[in-house]
Amino acid sequence: MELRLSREQAHWQNRTRQFAESILVSHAARMEQVGAFPRELLMEMRANGLMGIPIPKAWGGEGADFISYILSIHEISKVSAAAGVILSVHTSVGTLPILYYGTDEQKKKYVRKLASGDALGAFALTEPQAGSDAASIRTTAIREGDYYRLKGSKMFITNAGEADTYITFAVTNASQGARGISAFIIERDCPGFIVGRAEKKMGLHGSNTCEITLEDVRIPVTQRLGHEGEGFVIAMGTLDGGRIGIAAQALGIAQAALELVEGARIRKGDSLARRRRWSSSELDLFAELTTQVEAARLLVYRAASMRQAGLPCTKESSMAKMFASDTAMRVTGAVVSMLGRQGCTDEYAAERLFRDAKVTQIYEGTNEIHRIVISGSMLR
């Protein structure tokens, strides 16, 4: 499969690349050094139309296709994986679920603000005892007339504390298992909605990751997303697209690491190849890594093409996410070693890329889970 971009897709790729290399790069350095959430960067992304790329213009977005959106996540993540995941979560799992499953009233109330960047979205599924096994969540939502009362906790929630809306999942009928889970839209200023401290992570500095506690959060029935009991279906359908976004993030990390070796992003401008001769084993490794990154690219964009066409892509999304994230870890680890002592310092971005890459194997479903999904799909 050769990826041939349409004129619009190439436009978004170039547009986002220019944004990343001219505007994002300075914010990325501050995010890494200070670790603070980049509110000013979000204003820049909003001004450049990046907050609602695949959202139809009728709902306040840019009206681009899903591939254009994935191209943008890819380009942004080459410069800042943290910015890439902020945008990916906001769009893939914070906005698109409302567009796909929401009522017209919910779309009018939320999608326009999210797509324009007037609001930031988040996705609250993971719990202390329920990570990749989403069907085992324990947060409850008890219906009381025209309201629901939610109790429970969520953890490792990206954009938490900064997001305005949270797609949240809770059990409405425990006897039904996965079919007893429902989805809700919760606003951050809702009484009883408590955001914990930001986690101190090894990578993705500047991206907020927090625990959320729901203490008798009372919301109207109109805040339920989809029908009661459809939450698990909504979550799984949403995560197919979200995993492609994370795969694109991992692909950006891996490609950025390769470019370090090529000399394209070495701060001093001196190519590693010019400073010393490469050994045959290093040349062999570089060729292998380059091939793996290209293979990851094709898997990512095949999954994105299937998603764009409305085809089932659970297996393909899992393959793209698993392979791209494993490749990111393999490439960044090798590049740290190839750069020697400099690879372990902030003189180059290699050590940051290495730290950022690890989580791509874990969130949006661990790679162990994706191997089960893939094998199960093949053997079913």
Side-chain angles (χ1 to χ4, degrees):
M1 171 185 173
E2 173 60 30
L3 178 63
R4 298 184 184 276
L5 302 181
S6 68
R7 180 178 299 180
E8 180 189 32
Q9 291 163 355
H11 161 76
W12 274 102
Q13 183 184 49
N14 293 329
R15 176 173 168 177
T16 313
R17 181 180 295 161
Q18 291 173 6
F19 172 85
E21 294 179 350
S22 62
I23 297 175
L24 174 58
V25 64
S26 62
H27 289 279
R30 288 197 296 273
M31 290 166 67
E32 182 62 27
Q33 293 166 3
V34 180
F37 189 84
R39 297 181 183 88
E40 293 181 0
L41 173 60
L42 289 190
M43 294 176 64
E44 297 273 13
M45 295 172 76
R46 170 187 175 185
N48 282 273
L50 300 179
M51 302 299 285
I53 296 172
I55 309 301
K57 291 183 178 180
W59 295 109
E62 296 295 319
D65 64 12
F66 188 77
I67 296 173
S68 297
Y69 160 62
I70 292 300
L71 284 162
S72 297
I73 296 296
H74 177 182
E75 292 297 330
I76 286 173
S77 297
K78 285 164 61 178
V79 175
S80 171
V85 76
I86 290 170
L87 180 60
S88 180
V89 167
H90 163 78
T91 307
S92 295
V93 294
T95 305
L96 288 177
I98 306 176
L99 178 68
Y100 294 154
Y101 301 101
T103 63
D104 284 344
E105 290 73 18
Q106 289 171 337
K107 294 175 188 177
K108 291 175 183 177
K109 184 176 182 180
Y110 296 111
V111 174
R112 293 187 198 280
K113 292 190 295 184
L114 290 163
S116 66
D118 288 340
L120 183 67
F123 185 82
L125 176 62
T126 300
E127 297 184 1
Q129 74 293 328
S132 296
D133 183 12
S136 63
I137 64 171
R138 297 178 183 173
T139 295
T140 59
I142 307 301
R143 185 159 180 173
E144 299 175 345
D146 292 332
Y147 291 84
Y148 283 96
R149 191 178 297 277
L150 281 76
K151 297 181 181 180
S153 63
K154 304 289 181 178
M155 67 184 303
F156 301 136
I157 306 304
T158 301
N159 293 346
E162 298 291 339
D164 301 278
T165 59
Y166 298 75
I167 308 300
T168 305
F169 297 85
V171 176
T172 47
N173 188 338
S175 66
Q176 294 295 312
R179 295 181 181 180
I181 296 173
S182 300
F184 303 89
I185 306 170
I186 300 182
E187 299 177 10
R188 68 174 177 179
D189 58 356
C190 192
F193 185 83
I194 302 170
V195 178
R197 67 173 181 81
E199 300 285 352
K200 294 182 179 180
K201 308 185 297 294
M202 66 180 286
L204 300 183
H205 295 170
S207 166
N208 268 27
T209 307
C210 307
E211 183 177 7
I212 291 172
T213 302
L214 305 170
E215 292 187 352
D216 284 332
V217 172
R218 191 168 181 264
I219 58 172
V221 172
T222 53
Q223 294 298 102
R224 189 186 65 220
L225 185 62
H227 296 295
E228 191 167 289
E230 286 186 340
F232 189 77
V233 172
I234 291 173
M236 295 301 102
T238 296
L239 288 173
D240 279 346
R243 286 161 183 162
I244 301 172
I246 298 306
Q249 179 199 24
L251 178 62
I253 294 170
Q255 189 172 345
L258 277 186
E259 290 177 356
L260 278 178
V261 179
E262 294 168 350
R265 296 194 184 280
I266 294 179
R267 292 182 182 178
K268 295 181 180 180
D270 56 332
S271 170
L272 181 64
R274 288 199 299 267
R275 286 192 282 116
R276 63 176 174 82
R277 292 177 61 85
W278 285 25
S279 68
S280 60
S281 61
E282 286 177 323
L283 289 171
D284 288 347
L285 176 60
F286 188 64
E288 182 181 342
L289 296 176
T290 301
T291 302
Q292 290 172 351
V293 171
E294 181 64 14
R297 184 176 78 95
L298 293 174
L299 281 171
V300 170
Y301 286 104
R302 181 183 70 155
S305 297
M306 294 180 69
R307 181 76 172 182
Q308 174 63 34
L311 299 173
C313 61
T314 296
K315 180 187 70 176
E316 290 76 14
S317 298
S318 288
M319 292 171 70
K321 191 270 184 187
M322 180 193 73
F323 189 81
S325 58
D326 283 347
T327 297
M329 275 305 298
R330 193 176 302 118
V331 172
T332 55
V335 169
V336 168
S337 297
M338 292 173 77
L339 290 175
R341 287 175 295 179
Q342 290 91 342
C344 298
T345 71
D346 61 5
E347 181 179 359
Y348 303 116
E351 60 88 24
R352 172 178 61 81
L353 293 169
F354 180 70
R355 289 185 286 104
D356 287 348
K358 183 58 188 176
V359 74
T360 64
Q361 294 180 310
I362 300 172
Y363 57 19
E364 295 284 9
T366 65
N367 283 2
E368 289 77 12
I369 291 296
H370 288 295
R371 287 181 172 86
I372 294 172
V373 171
I374 295 164
S375 61
S377 175
M378 297 302 295
L379 298 173
R380 188 162 32 245

